[in-house]
């Protein structure tokens, strides 16, 4: 069901990341949790940005993460929310770097959930 004309339309993307292939929460596990959350909260997940086997200690090398930030800056950005399994999946970057990226999203009307 597409609610584009509705004021309740909540378009989102998911961001999935794991540091190693031995990490407990696989990409599939994270996606299932996000999908269930989206259904329960009437959020439409438009797409997923995925960084697999990439550390969250820095934004360097996290191509999907950096593309998400860039896409959110476009005036025709189709999403208003970024869904993550937990905030550590968004990144384990230091507070300054994490705050910078959160600010970039927020100033473009995108909220992290």
């Amino acid at each position: 069901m597409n609610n584009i004309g509705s004021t309740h339309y909540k378009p989102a993307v998911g961001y999935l990341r794991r540091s190693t292939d031995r990490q407990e929460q696989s990409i599939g596990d994270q996606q299932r949790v996000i999908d269930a959350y989206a259904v329960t909260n009437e959020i439409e997940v438009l797409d997923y940005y995925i960084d697999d086997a990439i550390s969250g200690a820095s934004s360097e090398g996290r191509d999907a993460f950096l593309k998400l930030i860039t896409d959110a800056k476009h005036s025709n950005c189709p999403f208003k929310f970024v869904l993550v399994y937990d905030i550590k999946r968004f990144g384990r970057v230091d507070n300054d770097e994490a705050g910078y990226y959160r600010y970039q999203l927020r100033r473009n009307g995108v909220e992290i959930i």
Side-chain angles (χ1 to χ4, degrees):
M1 182 166 98
N2 191 339
N3 297 321
I4 292 178
S6 169
T7 58
H8 300 293
Y9 180 60
K10 298 183 235 177
V13 293
Y15 177 69
L16 311 173
R17 183 188 64 78
R18 67 178 177 161
S19 300
T20 71
D21 60 3
R22 294 184 308 271
Q23 187 167 350
E24 186 176 318
Q25 286 82 32
S26 73
I27 294 297
D29 293 339
Q30 293 176 49
Q31 185 170 350
R32 279 187 288 283
V33 170
I34 288 172
D35 287 344
Y37 178 88
V39 168
T40 300
N41 291 280
E42 300 179 346
I43 297 171
E44 182 177 353
V45 179
L46 304 173
D47 203 358
Y48 280 92
Y49 293 81
I50 303 169
D51 284 319
D52 196 6
I54 298 174
S55 171
S58 169
S59 60
E60 291 180 29
R62 294 172 58 197
D63 295 340
F65 176 80
L66 295 173
K67 180 166 178 19
L68 183 156
I69 300 298
T70 299
D71 289 351
K73 292 179 182 180
H74 292 145
S75 61
N76 62 343
C77 176
F79 57 89
K80 294 296 175 197
F81 302 94
V82 177
L83 304 179
V84 294
Y85 176 79
D86 68 35
I87 200 64
K88 289 180 264 176
R89 299 302 93 217
F90 188 72
R92 294 182 184 269
V93 295
D94 69 41
N95 286 338
D96 291 338
E97 188 174 0
Y100 171 77
Y101 288 115
R102 284 188 194 110
Y103 173 74
Q104 293 296 310
L105 292 171
R106 189 173 54 245
R107 77 185 285 222
N108 289 287
V110 177
E111 179 183 342
I112 300 170
I113 299 175

